[in-house]
Amino acid sequence: MGGSLAGPIPTDQHDFALWEKRVDALMVICSGKGHFTVDGLRRVLEDMGPEAFETMSYYERWVASINQNLIEAGVYSTAELAARMSEVAARGATYGDAADG
């Protein structure tokens, strides 16, 4: 986080999970459509408190930032996001548990 010592930088590489690749693609698509820029992504990331950096992964912070930017751009509201999240949660632990597909 800006200005704070973070210790050594891990230099080992890892394979990205599918959801992380999807988050990266979402960022590219949303910025390509002009909803926000990488500066907008960074602005929200930098506004997050220290707890976000201690408890969230890199791409979890990206998801939060992308959502904040899309809400600010008027793409969807917090109520619409909450409703959609409830729908997804109702599917259960796997998509196979989805009541309505």
Side-chain angles (χ1 to χ4, degrees), residues 24-100:
D24 193 82
L26 183 61
M27 168 60 192
V28 172
I29 291 168
C30 291
S31 63
K33 290 189 171 280
H35 296 307
F36 59 90
T37 65
V38 71
D39 293 331
L41 182 80
R42 178 176 294 273
R43 175 188 53 82
V44 174
L45 291 171
E46 290 178 350
D47 286 346
M48 292 179 177
E51 183 178 322
F53 287 84
E54 295 168 2
T55 60
M56 300 169 75
S57 72
Y58 181 80
Y59 280 106
E60 287 173 335
R61 292 191 303 271
W62 269 42
V63 168
S65 180
I66 290 168
N67 268 317
Q68 182 64 36
N69 275 284
L70 291 175
I71 289 167
E72 290 176 4
V75 176
Y76 51 77
S77 69
T78 54
E80 291 168 326
L81 176 61
R84 185 68 177 150
M85 290 176 69
S86 292
E87 289 175 22
V88 172
R91 293 178 183 170
T94 67
Y95 287 122
D97 295 336
D100 58 353

